[in-house]
Amino acid sequence: RNLWVLVVGRSPKEHRIGIPEFKYVANMHGDETVGRELLLHLIDHLVTSDGKDPEITNLINNTRIHIMPSMNPDGFEAVKKPDCYYSIGRENYNQYDLNRNFPDAFEYNNVSRQPETEAVMKWLNTETFVLSANLHGGALVASYPFDNGVQATGALYSRSLTPDDDVFQYLAHTYASRNPNMKKGDECKSKMNFPNGVTNGYSWYPLQGGMQDYNYIWAQCFEITLELSCCKYPREEKLPSFWNNNKASLIEYMKQVHLGVKGQVFDQNGNPLPHVIVEVQDRKHICPYRTNKYGEYYLLLLPGSYIINVTVPGHEPYLTKVIIPEKSQNFSALKKDILLPFQGQLDSIPASNPSCPMIPLYRNLPSHSAATKPSLFLFLVTLLHIFFKQSKM
Ligand SMILES: *[C@@H]1O[C@H](CO)[C@@H](O)[C@H](O)[C@H]1NC(C)=O
Ligand SMILES: *[C@@H]1O[C@H](CO)[C@@H](O)[C@H](O)[C@H]1NC(C)=O
Ligand SMILES: *[C@@H]1O[C@H](CO)[C@@H](O)[C@H](O)[C@H]1NC(C)=O
Ligand SMILES: *[C@@H]1O[C@H](CO)[C@@H](O)[C@H](O)[C@H]1NC(C)=O
Ligand SMILES: [Zn+2]
Protein backbone atom coordinates (compact mmCIF):
# COMPACT_ATOMS: atom_id res chain seq x y z
CA ARG A 1 0.00 0.00 0.00
CA ASN A 2 1.10 3.55 -0.64
CA LEU A 3 2.00 5.87 2.21
CA TRP A 4 -0.13 8.98 1.85
CA VAL A 5 0.91 12.46 2.90
CA LEU A 6 -1.26 15.53 2.78
CA VAL A 7 0.45 18.91 2.74
CA VAL A 8 -1.27 22.01 4.09
CA GLY A 9 0.16 25.44 3.36
CA ARG A 10 -0.22 28.50 1.14
CA SER A 11 2.17 26.87 -1.29
CA PRO A 12 1.63 23.17 -0.56
CA LYS A 13 3.39 21.87 -3.66
CA GLU A 14 6.75 23.49 -3.10
CA HIS A 15 9.04 24.92 -0.49
CA ARG A 16 9.17 28.72 -0.15
CA ILE A 17 12.23 30.42 1.27
CA GLY A 18 11.64 31.32 4.91
CA ILE A 19 8.67 28.96 5.36
CA PRO A 20 9.68 26.08 7.67
CA GLU A 21 8.60 22.50 6.99
CA PHE A 22 6.73 20.66 9.74
CA LYS A 23 5.45 17.06 9.83
CA TYR A 24 3.31 14.64 11.80
CA VAL A 25 3.56 10.86 11.25
CA ALA A 26 1.17 8.39 12.90
CA ASN A 27 0.41 4.67 13.02
CA MET A 28 3.91 3.31 12.29
CA HIS A 29 2.74 0.63 14.69
CA GLY A 30 -0.37 -0.51 12.84
CA ASP A 31 -2.31 -1.43 15.99
CA GLU A 32 -1.83 2.03 17.57
CA THR A 33 -4.72 3.82 15.96
CA VAL A 34 -5.50 6.98 17.93
CA GLY A 35 -2.83 9.08 16.18
CA ARG A 36 -4.12 8.04 12.79
CA GLU A 37 -7.63 9.24 13.64
CA LEU A 38 -6.33 12.43 15.27
CA LEU A 39 -4.36 13.39 12.17
CA LEU A 40 -7.41 12.94 9.95
CA HIS A 41 -9.31 15.22 12.33
CA LEU A 42 -6.43 17.66 12.31
CA ILE A 43 -6.47 17.87 8.50
CA ASP A 44 -10.19 18.57 8.61
CA HIS A 45 -9.74 21.17 11.33
CA LEU A 46 -6.93 22.98 9.47
CA VAL A 47 -8.69 23.21 6.14
CA THR A 48 -12.07 24.18 7.57
CA SER A 49 -10.64 26.81 9.98
CA ASP A 50 -8.48 28.47 7.35
CA GLY A 51 -9.61 32.04 6.80
CA LYS A 52 -11.93 31.84 9.84
CA ASP A 53 -9.70 31.18 12.84
CA PRO A 54 -6.85 33.74 12.88
CA GLU A 55 -4.47 31.38 14.71
CA ILE A 56 -4.89 28.59 12.14
CA THR A 57 -4.79 31.08 9.26
CA ASN A 58 -1.54 32.54 10.54
CA LEU A 59 -0.11 29.06 11.03
CA ILE A 60 -1.00 28.03 7.48
CA ASN A 61 0.28 31.33 6.06
CA ASN A 62 3.68 30.84 7.66
CA THR A 63 4.24 27.07 7.79
CA ARG A 64 4.18 24.10 5.41
CA ILE A 65 2.58 21.19 7.27
CA HIS A 66 3.04 17.59 6.10
CA ILE A 67 0.68 14.99 7.57
CA MET A 68 1.11 11.20 7.19
CA PRO A 69 -1.78 9.56 9.05
CA SER A 70 -0.45 6.02 8.54
CA MET A 71 3.11 4.86 8.06
CA ASN A 72 2.04 1.23 8.41
CA PRO A 73 -1.21 0.68 6.51
CA ASP A 74 -0.53 -3.08 6.17
CA GLY A 75 -0.21 -3.45 9.93
CA PHE A 76 -3.42 -1.52 10.45
CA GLU A 77 -5.28 -3.75 8.00
CA ALA A 78 -3.95 -6.87 9.73
CA VAL A 79 -5.53 -6.05 13.08
CA LYS A 80 -8.27 -8.65 13.61
CA LYS A 81 -10.10 -6.89 16.40
CA PRO A 82 -9.49 -3.76 18.47
CA ASP A 83 -7.19 -4.56 21.37
CA CYS A 84 -5.73 -2.38 24.08
CA TYR A 85 -2.50 -4.36 24.32
CA TYR A 86 0.32 -5.57 22.11
CA SER A 87 -1.25 -7.31 19.18
CA ILE A 88 -0.94 -8.48 15.64
CA GLY A 89 -0.62 -5.43 13.39
CA ARG A 90 2.18 -3.70 15.28
CA GLU A 91 4.65 -4.82 12.61
CA ASN A 92 4.49 -4.32 8.85
CA TYR A 93 3.51 -7.03 6.38
CA ASN A 94 7.01 -8.55 6.59
CA GLN A 95 6.78 -8.71 10.40
CA TYR A 96 9.25 -5.92 11.06
CA ASP A 97 8.81 -3.32 13.77
CA LEU A 98 9.28 -0.06 11.82
CA ASN A 99 10.35 1.83 14.92
CA ARG A 100 13.38 -0.50 15.22
CA ASN A 101 14.19 -0.37 11.51
CA PHE A 102 16.18 2.86 11.00
CA PRO A 103 19.98 3.27 11.00
CA ASP A 104 21.23 3.77 14.54
CA ALA A 105 23.95 6.20 15.63
CA PHE A 106 24.96 4.16 18.67
CA GLU A 107 25.27 0.58 17.44
CA TYR A 108 24.96 -1.37 14.20
CA ASN A 109 21.35 -1.99 13.33
CA ASN A 110 21.70 -4.82 10.84
CA VAL A 111 18.01 -5.46 10.29
CA SER A 112 16.66 -5.66 6.78
CA ARG A 113 15.46 -2.18 5.91
CA GLN A 114 11.78 -2.21 5.04
CA PRO A 115 10.01 -0.41 2.15
CA GLU A 116 8.15 1.85 4.59
CA THR A 117 11.43 2.85 6.26
CA GLU A 118 13.17 3.41 2.92
CA ALA A 119 10.26 5.56 1.77
CA VAL A 120 10.39 7.73 4.88
CA MET A 121 14.18 8.08 4.66
CA LYS A 122 13.84 9.22 1.04
CA TRP A 123 11.05 11.61 1.95
CA LEU A 124 13.23 13.21 4.65
CA ASN A 125 15.83 13.99 1.99
CA THR A 126 13.34 15.79 -0.23
CA GLU A 127 12.49 18.55 2.27
CA THR A 128 14.28 20.52 4.96
CA PHE A 129 12.08 19.33 7.81
CA VAL A 130 12.62 21.34 10.97
CA LEU A 131 10.21 19.87 13.51
CA SER A 132 8.19 16.67 13.71
CA ALA A 133 6.28 14.33 15.98
CA ASN A 134 5.61 10.64 15.69
CA LEU A 135 2.28 9.47 17.14
CA HIS A 136 1.87 6.20 19.06
CA GLY A 137 -0.39 4.55 21.64
CA GLY A 138 -0.13 2.22 24.62
CA ALA A 139 1.01 4.89 27.10
CA LEU A 140 0.43 8.57 27.80
CA VAL A 141 3.66 10.55 27.60
CA ALA A 142 5.75 12.87 25.40
CA SER A 143 9.14 11.20 24.94
CA TYR A 144 12.17 13.01 23.55
CA PRO A 145 15.56 11.87 22.11
CA PHE A 146 17.68 10.00 22.42
CA ASP A 147 16.06 6.58 22.46
CA ASN A 148 19.43 4.86 22.33
CA GLY A 149 22.67 5.94 23.95
CA VAL A 150 26.23 5.46 25.11
CA GLN A 151 28.22 6.74 28.03
CA ALA A 152 28.97 9.99 26.15
CA THR A 153 25.25 10.84 26.05
CA GLY A 154 24.58 9.96 29.69
CA ALA A 155 23.68 6.29 29.52
CA LEU A 156 25.44 5.51 32.82
CA TYR A 157 22.89 7.76 34.48
CA SER A 158 20.06 5.96 32.75
CA ARG A 159 19.34 8.70 30.25
CA SER A 160 20.61 9.77 26.84
CA LEU A 161 20.57 13.48 26.11
CA THR A 162 21.15 15.55 22.99
CA PRO A 163 23.04 18.86 22.93
CA ASP A 164 19.58 20.42 22.39
CA ASP A 165 18.11 18.96 25.57
CA ASP A 166 16.66 22.30 26.73
CA VAL A 167 14.74 22.62 23.46
CA PHE A 168 13.54 19.01 23.53
CA GLN A 169 12.30 19.28 27.10
CA TYR A 170 10.49 22.46 26.19
CA LEU A 171 8.91 20.80 23.14
CA ALA A 172 7.76 17.76 25.13
CA HIS A 173 6.31 20.00 27.86
CA THR A 174 4.56 22.13 25.25
CA TYR A 175 2.62 19.07 24.15
CA ALA A 176 2.10 17.34 27.50
CA SER A 177 1.06 20.41 29.48
CA ARG A 178 -1.91 21.07 27.17
CA ASN A 179 -3.24 17.51 27.34
CA PRO A 180 -5.28 17.25 30.57
CA ASN A 181 -4.59 13.53 31.05
CA MET A 182 -1.01 13.33 29.81
CA LYS A 183 0.19 16.09 32.14
CA LYS A 184 -0.96 14.10 35.18
CA GLY A 185 1.67 11.51 34.34
CA ASP A 186 -0.02 8.50 35.91
CA GLU A 187 -3.21 7.91 33.99
CA CYS A 188 -2.34 4.48 32.59
CA LYS A 189 -2.90 2.27 35.63
CA SER A 190 -0.16 -0.19 36.48
CA LYS A 191 2.25 1.48 34.07
CA MET A 192 5.13 3.85 34.68
CA ASN A 193 4.62 7.26 36.28
CA PHE A 194 6.02 10.16 34.22
CA PRO A 195 6.43 13.50 36.03
CA ASN A 196 4.40 16.10 34.05
CA GLY A 197 3.81 13.54 31.31
CA VAL A 198 7.31 13.89 29.86
CA THR A 199 10.29 11.52 29.62
CA ASN A 200 13.61 11.06 27.94
CA GLY A 201 13.27 8.10 25.56
CA TYR A 202 16.29 6.19 26.86
CA SER A 203 15.27 6.73 30.51
CA TRP A 204 11.99 5.03 29.79
CA TYR A 205 13.55 2.14 27.89
CA PRO A 206 16.43 2.11 25.39
CA LEU A 207 15.64 1.06 21.87
CA GLN A 208 17.63 0.61 18.70
CA GLY A 209 16.77 1.86 15.22
CA GLY A 210 14.04 4.28 16.28
CA MET A 211 12.68 6.99 14.02
CA GLN A 212 13.11 10.00 16.30
CA ASP A 213 16.86 9.55 16.74
CA TYR A 214 17.22 9.09 12.98
CA ASN A 215 15.36 12.34 12.30
CA TYR A 216 17.52 14.32 14.69
CA ILE A 217 20.87 12.85 13.64
CA TRP A 218 20.53 12.33 9.90
CA ALA A 219 17.64 14.57 8.80
CA GLN A 220 18.34 17.73 10.84
CA CYS A 221 14.76 17.45 12.09
CA PHE A 222 13.81 17.60 15.77
CA GLU A 223 11.31 14.82 16.42
CA ILE A 224 9.58 13.66 19.58
CA THR A 225 7.41 10.58 20.19
CA LEU A 226 3.88 11.12 21.45
CA GLU A 227 2.17 8.26 23.26
CA LEU A 228 -1.47 9.30 23.15
CA SER A 229 -3.64 6.58 24.68
CA CYS A 230 -3.31 3.95 27.39
CA CYS A 231 -5.29 1.67 25.12
CA LYS A 232 -3.67 1.09 21.73
CA TYR A 233 -6.88 0.53 19.78
CA PRO A 234 -9.77 2.00 21.78
CA ARG A 235 -13.42 1.76 20.89
CA GLU A 236 -14.82 4.19 18.36
CA GLU A 237 -16.94 6.09 20.88
CA LYS A 238 -13.78 7.22 22.69
CA LEU A 239 -12.47 9.09 19.66
CA PRO A 240 -14.19 12.47 20.27
CA SER A 241 -12.61 12.71 23.73
CA PHE A 242 -9.16 11.96 22.29
CA TRP A 243 -9.60 14.80 19.82
CA ASN A 244 -10.79 17.18 22.54
CA ASN A 245 -7.82 16.30 24.75
CA ASN A 246 -5.20 16.61 22.00
CA LYS A 247 -6.43 19.43 19.78
CA ALA A 248 -4.74 22.29 21.68
CA SER A 249 -1.50 20.30 22.01
CA LEU A 250 -1.37 19.35 18.34
CA ILE A 251 -1.78 23.00 17.28
CA GLU A 252 0.57 24.51 19.85
CA TYR A 253 3.25 21.94 19.00
CA MET A 254 3.16 22.89 15.29
CA LYS A 255 3.72 26.54 16.20
CA GLN A 256 7.04 25.59 17.81
CA VAL A 257 8.55 25.18 14.35
CA HIS A 258 8.93 28.98 14.63
CA LEU A 259 11.27 28.87 17.61
CA GLY A 260 14.80 30.19 17.35
CA VAL A 261 16.46 31.67 14.29
CA LYS A 262 16.37 31.19 10.53
CA GLY A 263 17.82 32.80 7.43
CA GLN A 264 20.05 32.37 4.43
CA VAL A 265 23.83 32.34 4.18
CA PHE A 266 25.30 34.50 1.36
CA ASP A 267 28.82 35.10 0.16
CA GLN A 268 30.13 38.63 -0.45
CA ASN A 269 28.63 38.68 -3.93
CA GLY A 270 25.17 37.88 -2.61
CA ASN A 271 25.13 34.25 -3.77
CA PRO A 272 23.32 31.90 -1.38
CA LEU A 273 25.63 29.13 -0.19
CA PRO A 274 24.14 25.61 -0.12
CA HIS A 275 25.41 22.77 2.05
CA VAL A 276 27.65 24.83 4.34
CA ILE A 277 27.75 24.01 8.04
CA VAL A 278 25.71 26.29 10.32
CA GLU A 279 25.92 25.24 13.95
CA VAL A 280 25.51 26.87 17.34
CA GLN A 281 28.60 26.91 19.50
CA ASP A 282 28.47 24.31 22.26
CA ARG A 283 25.64 22.39 20.69
CA LYS A 284 27.39 20.70 17.80
CA HIS A 285 25.51 17.88 16.13
CA ILE A 286 27.34 14.65 15.42
CA CYS A 287 26.32 15.11 11.77
CA PRO A 288 26.75 18.87 11.39
CA TYR A 289 23.59 20.72 10.33
CA ARG A 290 23.98 22.33 6.89
CA THR A 291 22.16 24.87 4.74
CA ASN A 292 19.74 23.49 2.15
CA LYS A 293 20.00 24.06 -1.60
CA TYR A 294 18.74 27.64 -1.17
CA GLY A 295 21.40 28.42 1.43
CA GLU A 296 18.79 28.37 4.21
CA TYR A 297 19.29 27.34 7.80
CA TYR A 298 16.78 26.82 10.62
CA LEU A 299 17.94 26.48 14.23
CA LEU A 300 15.41 25.71 16.98
CA LEU A 301 16.57 27.59 20.09
CA LEU A 302 15.00 28.96 23.26
CA PRO A 303 15.34 32.69 24.08
CA GLY A 304 18.92 33.62 24.93
CA SER A 305 22.22 34.62 23.45
CA TYR A 306 24.11 32.30 21.10
CA ILE A 307 27.14 32.22 18.80
CA ILE A 308 26.43 30.85 15.34
CA ASN A 309 29.39 29.20 13.62
CA VAL A 310 29.35 29.03 9.81
CA THR A 311 31.96 26.79 8.23
CA VAL A 312 32.78 27.04 4.53
CA PRO A 313 35.54 24.81 3.12
CA GLY A 314 38.80 26.74 2.68
CA HIS A 315 37.90 29.52 5.13
CA GLU A 316 38.18 30.22 8.81
CA PRO A 317 34.90 29.55 10.65
CA TYR A 318 32.74 32.66 10.64
CA LEU A 319 31.21 33.44 14.03
CA THR A 320 28.26 35.72 14.61
CA LYS A 321 26.23 36.47 17.71
CA VAL A 322 22.47 36.18 17.84
CA ILE A 323 20.05 37.14 20.60
CA ILE A 324 16.73 35.31 20.53
CA PRO A 325 14.18 37.56 22.27
CA GLU A 326 11.70 36.43 24.91
CA LYS A 327 8.72 37.85 23.06
CA SER A 328 6.98 35.40 20.77
CA GLN A 329 7.90 36.01 17.18
CA ASN A 330 4.38 35.86 15.76
CA PHE A 331 4.66 32.76 13.57
CA SER A 332 8.24 33.40 12.53
CA ALA A 333 11.60 32.55 14.02
CA LEU A 334 13.99 35.48 14.33
CA LYS A 335 15.16 36.21 10.81
CA LYS A 336 18.90 36.60 10.40
CA ASP A 337 20.63 36.35 7.05
CA ILE A 338 24.37 35.83 7.28
CA LEU A 339 26.62 37.69 4.83
CA LEU A 340 30.09 36.18 4.67
CA PRO A 341 33.01 38.53 3.98
CA PHE A 342 34.45 36.35 1.21
CA GLN A 343 33.55 34.73 -2.05
CA GLY A 344 31.91 31.36 -1.76
CA GLN A 345 34.21 29.31 -4.03
CA LEU A 346 31.18 27.30 -5.00
CA ASP A 347 33.32 24.63 -6.61
CA SER A 348 34.73 23.68 -3.21
CA ILE A 349 31.26 23.16 -1.75
CA PRO A 350 29.85 19.73 -2.55
CA ALA A 351 27.06 19.82 -5.13
CA SER A 352 24.78 17.68 -3.04
CA ASN A 353 24.48 17.62 0.71
CA PRO A 354 27.26 15.31 1.92
CA SER A 355 25.38 12.88 4.07
CA CYS A 356 26.84 11.48 7.22
CA PRO A 357 27.68 7.77 7.05
CA MET A 358 24.87 5.69 8.52
CA ILE A 359 26.99 3.88 11.03
CA PRO A 360 27.37 4.04 14.82
CA LEU A 361 28.78 7.56 14.91
CA TYR A 362 28.82 7.77 18.70
CA ARG A 363 30.82 4.59 19.22
CA ASN A 364 34.22 6.22 19.03
CA LEU A 365 33.63 9.31 21.12
CA PRO A 366 36.44 9.65 23.69
CA SER A 367 34.30 9.40 26.81
CA HIS A 368 32.78 6.23 25.49
CA SER A 369 36.06 4.46 24.88
CA ALA A 370 37.02 4.62 28.56
CA ALA A 371 36.24 1.14 29.74
CA THR A 372 33.90 0.98 32.70
CA LYS A 373 33.08 -1.74 35.12
CA PRO A 374 29.36 -2.15 35.43
CA SER A 375 28.30 -0.93 38.84
CA LEU A 376 25.51 -2.31 40.97
CA PHE A 377 23.56 0.80 39.98
CA LEU A 378 24.02 0.00 36.32
CA PHE A 379 22.99 -3.57 36.95
CA LEU A 380 19.76 -2.42 38.62
CA VAL A 381 19.08 0.08 35.87
CA THR A 382 19.54 -2.66 33.31
CA LEU A 383 17.12 -4.88 35.19
CA LEU A 384 14.58 -2.08 35.27
CA HIS A 385 14.97 -1.55 31.56
CA ILE A 386 14.41 -5.21 30.88
CA PHE A 387 11.33 -5.01 33.06
CA PHE A 388 9.85 -2.01 31.27
CA LYS A 389 10.79 -3.29 27.86
CA GLN A 390 8.18 -5.97 28.25
CA SER A 391 5.43 -3.50 27.55
CA LYS A 392 6.41 -2.22 24.12
CA MET A 393 4.82 1.03 22.96
C1 LIG B 1 -2.93 34.85 5.06
O1 LIG B 1 -2.69 34.77 3.67
C2 LIG B 1 -3.80 35.18 2.90
C3 LIG B 1 -3.53 34.81 1.44
O2 LIG B 1 -2.22 35.14 1.08
C4 LIG B 1 -4.02 36.68 3.13
O3 LIG B 1 -5.12 37.12 2.36
C5 LIG B 1 -4.29 36.89 4.61
O4 LIG B 1 -4.37 38.27 4.89
C6 LIG B 1 -3.22 36.28 5.48
N1 LIG B 1 -3.75 36.28 6.84
C7 LIG B 1 -2.98 36.55 7.91
C8 LIG B 1 -3.67 36.52 9.23
O5 LIG B 1 -1.79 36.77 7.82
C1 LIG C 1 26.62 -5.41 11.26
O1 LIG C 1 27.17 -4.81 10.11
C2 LIG C 1 28.45 -4.25 10.29
C3 LIG C 1 28.85 -3.50 9.03
O2 LIG C 1 28.54 -4.22 7.89
C4 LIG C 1 29.44 -5.35 10.67
O3 LIG C 1 30.72 -4.80 10.89
C5 LIG C 1 28.96 -6.02 11.96
O4 LIG C 1 29.80 -7.09 12.32
C6 LIG C 1 27.53 -6.52 11.80
N1 LIG C 1 27.05 -6.98 13.10
C7 LIG C 1 26.33 -8.08 13.23
C8 LIG C 1 25.91 -8.41 14.63
O5 LIG C 1 25.99 -8.76 12.30
C1 LIG D 1 33.31 26.17 14.32
O1 LIG D 1 33.00 24.92 13.67
C2 LIG D 1 34.13 24.22 13.19
C3 LIG D 1 33.68 22.95 12.51
O2 LIG D 1 32.64 23.17 11.63
C4 LIG D 1 35.09 23.89 14.32
O3 LIG D 1 36.24 23.27 13.81
C5 LIG D 1 35.45 25.15 15.08
O4 LIG D 1 36.20 24.80 16.22
C6 LIG D 1 34.22 25.90 15.50
N1 LIG D 1 34.63 27.16 16.10
C7 LIG D 1 34.17 27.60 17.27
C8 LIG D 1 34.77 28.86 17.80
O5 LIG D 1 33.34 26.98 17.91
C1 LIG E 1 1.35 38.91 13.38
O1 LIG E 1 1.44 38.88 11.96
C2 LIG E 1 0.20 39.07 11.27
C3 LIG E 1 0.48 38.98 9.78
O2 LIG E 1 1.14 37.80 9.45
C4 LIG E 1 -0.40 40.41 11.64
O3 LIG E 1 -1.69 40.52 11.05
C5 LIG E 1 -0.52 40.53 13.16
O4 LIG E 1 -0.95 41.83 13.51
C6 LIG E 1 0.81 40.26 13.84
N1 LIG E 1 0.66 40.27 15.29
C7 LIG E 1 1.56 40.82 16.10
C8 LIG E 1 1.25 40.74 17.55
O5 LIG E 1 2.55 41.36 15.71
ZN1 LIG F 1 4.23 2.54 19.05
Side-chain angles (χ1 to χ4, degrees), residues 17 66 68 70 73 98 117 129 160 169 194 206 221 250 269 271 276 287 339-340 354 365 368 392:
I17 288 169
H66 305 247
M68 182 189 277
S70 180
L98 299 177
T117 314
F129 288 111
S160 182
Q169 289 203 30
F194 302 105
C221 177
L250 287 166
N269 298 332
N271 299 313
V276 300
C287 288
L339 313 172
L340 298 177
L365 286 192
H368 182 234
K392 290 197 277 183

Side-chain angles (χ1 to χ4, degrees), residues 104-128:
D104 192 289
F106 301 95
E107 55 189 318
Y108 281 106
N109 187 18
N110 292 6
V111 294
S112 138
R113 199 133 293 135
Q114 294 301 297
E116 295 88 343
T117 314
E118 299 272 13
V120 167
M121 287 168 65
K122 246 166 87 183
W123 180 42
L124 298 185
N125 279 337
T126 64
E127 306 287 351
T128 317

Side-chain angles (χ1 to χ4, degrees), residues 367-389:
S367 53
H368 182 234
S369 58
T372 47
K373 285 194 200 127
S375 61
L376 177 62
F377 172 71
L378 195 59
F379 176 68
L380 287 174
V381 162
T382 308
L383 273 183
L384 280 173
H385 280 151
I386 291 166
F387 178 73
F388 285 116
K389 236 177 173 153

Side-chain angles (χ1 to χ4, degrees), residues 277 281 284 309 311 317 319:
I277 296 174
Q281 210 171 16
K284 253 182 95 172
N309 177 349
T311 314
L319 304 177

Side-chain angles (χ1 to χ4, degrees), residues 348-365:
S348 66
I349 300 170
S352 66
N353 203 343
S355 52
C356 241
M358 292 187 191
I359 56 168
L361 298 163
Y362 279 92
R363 271 222 310 208
N364 301 319
L365 286 192

Side-chain angles (χ1 to χ4, degrees), residues 267-269 271-274 276 312-316 340 342-350:
D267 76 356
Q268 64 176 10
N269 298 332
N271 299 313
L273 297 181
V276 300
V312 180
H315 295 276
E316 287 291 298
L340 298 177
F342 47 77
Q343 209 175 319
Q345 283 177 311
L346 286 167
D347 51 333
S348 66
I349 300 170

Side-chain angles (χ1 to χ4, degrees), residues 8 10 22 105 125 210 217 256 342 363 390:
V8 180
R10 270 311 148 238
F22 176 92
N125 279 337
I217 290 164
Q256 306 312 312
F342 47 77
R363 271 222 310 208
Q390 300 189 339

